[in-house]
Amino acid sequence: MVRGIIKVDVRHTMRNIRQAMQGNVIRALVELITNSDDSYIRQESKGRTENGSIEIIYKKDGYRGIFAVRDHAEGMSIDDVENNLTGYGSATSGMQTGKKVRGYFGQGAKDALVSMINGKILTFKDNKFAECKLFEEADKPWYDISGPIPATQKLRDTYGISGNGTIAVFEAERKVPQFDTIHTELANNSLLRKIMVNPNRKILLIDEPSGKTRRLQYQMPEGREILADEFVIEYENYEPFTISLSIWRAEKELTQRGDDRDGGLLLLDGEDMVLGISLFKYDNEPLAARFFGEVRTNGFRELLKKEEPVLKQDRSGIEPHHPFCEKLIAEIEKRLEKRVEEEKLRKQREEQTKIDPEERRRYKNAFSILNEIAEIEAQAAENLGQELTGKIEEPPNGFHLYPSSAQITVGKRYIFELRLNTMTIRHGTIIKIKCTNSKIHILTPEIKVALEDDYGILRKYITVEGTEPNIEGTLQATAADKLSQSKILVIPEKETLLEEGMGFQPESLTLRPNKPRKVCLLVYVKIIEGGSEIKIFSDNNAVHISQDKIVVNEADAIRHFAKYDLEVWGDGVGQNALITAECESHIALLEARIKSQEDTTDKKHGKGMFDEPEQNYEPDPLQRTSYSAETGKVIIYVNFPSVKHYLGDKCQYLKTLPAQVFVADLLAERCFFEIAKKKMESSGVAVRPEAVSDRIQRDAQELSLKYGKKVHEALVDQKLVSEAKGINQT
C-alpha cells in the first residue's frame, strides 16, 4: 500500500489567483492596502506608535496604468521576503499566532501582484533593501528575489521611504480606472471600511504626474439605531460564539449592492476583520433599503485558524453553505425580518393617513404661495415685477410680462412677472417661456395654469440668468394665440461681484459619497488684488475642498476676472456643509450636500422650492419638522410630543381647527426659515460664519410678519375659522 499527500497542480493555484482578482485593479489595491494596514497593526501590537500613513500612487501612461501602495511600517528582511512571498496559502499574516491582522491565508498580496503586470514588492528593513518580483509565466506563478543590498539614499529617494517600509507596484493595461474612480471605489469599499474610519490611519491617493493628493475617508450614513442585540451560536466542538448585532435605519435610502454599498450589515470577526457585507435574503427588499449596521462574530478566527471554508474563495463574503454560516445567517435574517415588518407597518400607517382632496387643495394653494414667496425672496434675485403684497392690476389683453424691458448682470438671477386673467387664459393651459438668445438661461421654461389655481387674475414668476456680458435677447411667453415679450440686456461682467469681489460657481451642489465634483471660484481682481490670500474651509469635517488657500495672481484674470478650479468631495451620505472662501472682509459661500446613489426619495420635484408636506412616524424623533432641499418636502414628525398632542398618533385630529392652526404654524415656521437660509447662502453678503444663524432667524421673522397671515389663510379651513368666531361671538 502506498500513502502520501496529494500534490497541488500549479495551474490550480493560477485559477485561484485569477478567480480572486479577476483582473480588477480595485481588488488588487484593496489587498495591498490591507497588507499595509496589517503591517501597522503588527507594529502597534508591539507598542510602537506609527504615523499610519498608506499612500496609493496613481500614474496613467497612455493606455497603461501604473499603481503603487506604500507604507512606512515594519518593512521586510530578506528572510521575511522569502518566507512570506515564495509560498501560496501558508500562514504568513500573523493570524495563526494571534496577531490582530486581516491577511487572507497568506494569499492577498501574491494574488494581487501575480495577476497584474510587472508586479513587485520593494522593501526597506534596518537599512537593507530587497526586491521581489511576482509574475505569471507559462501559466504558472513565479517569484524573483534580489538583495539584500544597502539602502542607499538614492534608493530611498526613488521609492519615497526614509525608514522602514514597503512599496508594492503593479501595472494594468485593460480597464484602467480614472483617478476619480480610484478615489470613489477605494474610499467606499466595504472591505476597507474599518481602515477608512480608523483615526490612526491616513490613506492618501496621489496622482503622480500632477502631485494632486486626496485623503480617503469614509463616514457612516446618518441614521438611528433600531436594534442592538447579542446572541450565542454553538457549533461542533468550538467554544460558543458570541454575536453582537447592531442595525441602524438611515434617513435616506442607501445603495444595497456592490463592493461600495453604503447599506447592508458589515460582517466582522472579533478583531474588526471585514468578512463581507450583506442583508442576505433582504438585499433586494425595498423595505430594507435604509438598513445598515454591523455583525461582530467573536471567535470567528478560530474557524479560520483551522482552515474551515467559511469565506468564499473570491473574498466576496462568508460562505452561506458552511454549517456555521448557515446558523449565523438564519439568526441575522430572523432579526431583520422583524425590522422589515416594522417598515411594512410604517408604510401602512402612512397610507392610512394620506390627506383627503380638500386638504390637498389647501396644501396646493398654500405651497403655490410659498413657492412664489421663495421665488421672490430666496434667490438673492432681483424681483423686476410688482411686490407680491401689492394690489394686482388687470394685465393688458389678459396676458402680459412685467417689466417690458430690463437690464441684468452675469451670475445673478432676476424674476419677471407674468400676469394673466383666467377668463382669457383658461385653467389647464401650458404657457411656454423662451428667450431668443440661448446665453440667457430660462430657469422657468414652462408654466401650467393649474386646475387648482384661483379664478381671476393670477401672477406667475419667471426666473432668468445671464451667462455672458454685452448680449441682449427677447423673453417670450406664449399661450395659444397670446404672446407677450420683454427685452433683456446683459450688462458687462464688471458690474457683478462688485460687492464681495468673489463667488463660487455653482453656489450649491449635490455630491455622491467620495465622488469629487468640480467648482470654480471667480475673483474680481479690482477688489481682491493680486497677491491676496483667500482662505477656503468647510464647516463639516466630512466635506473636503481640494485647496485650503488661493493666492490671487492678476495674470490669471481675463477682463479683471480670475477663475480658480477646485474639487469638492464628501465622505458620507446625509452630510451637509457650507464651504467658505474668505479674504479679509470678503466672503463667498458654497453649499454642498451628499446623498446616496440609490436615494430615490431625493428626486428634484421641479415645482419650486417647496412641495406638499408629508408625515413621518418615527417613534422617537428629535425635532418637529425637517426639510429636504432636493425633494422640497417639509416632513412633520407626528410622534414628537407637542405634535402628537395636537394631531393625534394617527393624525386623527387633523380636521380640527387647533390641529390645522398648529400645522400652519409648523409649516410656515419651517418654510420661512428655509427661505431665509437659502437667501443668506446665495446672497454673498459679507456675514461672519458665527453670525449666519442670527441673520437667518431675523430674516425668517421678517418673512413671517410679511407673509404669515397669507399662508395661514391658505392652510387653515376658513369654514372652521368662521364657525369658531361665531361661537366666540355668542
Side-chain angles (χ1 to χ4, degrees), residues 90 109 129 220 233 347 447 458 636 665 693 706:
S90 56
F129 171 81
M220 300 301 291
I233 291 178
K347 292 283 186 183
I447 293 172
L458 300 180
I636 299 174
D665 266 335
S693 178
K706 190 173 182 181

Side-chain angles (χ1 to χ4, degrees), residues 238-399:
Y238 292 89
E239 290 293 320
F241 296 84
T242 302
I243 317 297
S244 299
L245 170 63
S246 175
I247 302 177
W248 289 63
R249 184 180 187 272
E251 295 180 358
K252 307 283 186 179
E253 289 189 1
L254 304 174
T255 308
Q256 296 289 5
R257 59 180 180 273
D259 292 339
D260 59 348
R261 64 191 286 176
D262 43 24
L265 298 176
L266 198 65
L267 309 175
L268 307 167
D269 74 356
E271 302 293 349
D272 273 357
M273 180 176 85
V274 178
L275 309 172
I277 189 167
S278 183
L279 289 174
F280 303 105
K281 72 178 183 180
Y282 295 106
D283 269 337
N284 298 310
E285 170 55 61
L287 291 171
R290 298 188 179 199
F291 292 171
F292 69 101
E294 291 184 354
V295 181
R296 189 180 308 278
T297 304
N298 295 296
F300 193 89
R301 292 195 167 210
E302 296 305 313
L303 298 166
L304 294 177
K305 289 177 184 177
K306 295 186 178 179
E307 300 193 5
E308 295 255 14
V310 286
L311 297 179
K312 293 180 181 178
Q313 187 65 35
D314 64 357
R315 299 158 168 72
S316 61
I318 62 175
E319 176 50 63
H321 301 300
H322 186 278
F324 174 81
C325 297
E326 286 180 348
K327 287 188 172 186
L328 176 63
I329 292 170
E331 291 294 330
I332 294 170
E333 288 181 342
K334 183 168 66 176
R335 287 157 176 80
L336 279 171
E337 183 178 12
K338 291 183 179 179
R339 311 289 86 75
V340 169
E341 187 61 31
E342 290 172 1
E343 287 294 302
K344 184 178 179 181
L345 293 173
R346 187 196 313 276
K347 292 283 186 183
Q348 289 174 349
R349 286 198 301 268
E350 290 173 358
E351 288 294 320
Q352 291 168 358
T353 57
K354 280 188 174 179
I355 60 179
D356 61 27
E358 169 57 25
E359 287 175 292
R360 187 171 299 280
R361 185 196 66 77
R362 284 189 280 108
Y363 280 135
K364 279 185 177 293
N365 185 29
F367 278 84
S368 175
I369 292 169
L370 283 164
N371 281 327
E372 290 177 1
I373 295 168
E375 189 76 14
I376 293 170
E377 301 281 357
Q379 297 288 349
E382 185 175 338
N383 179 25
L384 302 174
Q386 289 188 341
E387 286 293 327
L388 182 63
T389 52
K391 182 180 178 181
I392 303 178
E393 299 175 359
E394 175 76 28
N397 302 317
F399 187 76

Side-chain angles (χ1 to χ4, degrees), residues 44 72 164 242 312 347 411 414 436 497 514 587 596 635 730:
E44 290 162 352
H72 305 272
N164 291 343
T242 302
K312 293 180 181 178
K347 292 283 186 183
Y414 293 81
T436 57
L497 302 178
N514 286 298
I587 288 178
S596 169
I635 313 299
T730 62

Side-chain angles (χ1 to χ4, degrees), residues 58-67 170-173 176:
Y58 172 93
K59 182 178 180 181
K60 190 81 178 289
D61 183 12
Y63 292 105
R64 176 170 295 205
I66 303 171
F67 302 88
F170 67 86
E171 299 176 15
E173 285 185 334
V176 178

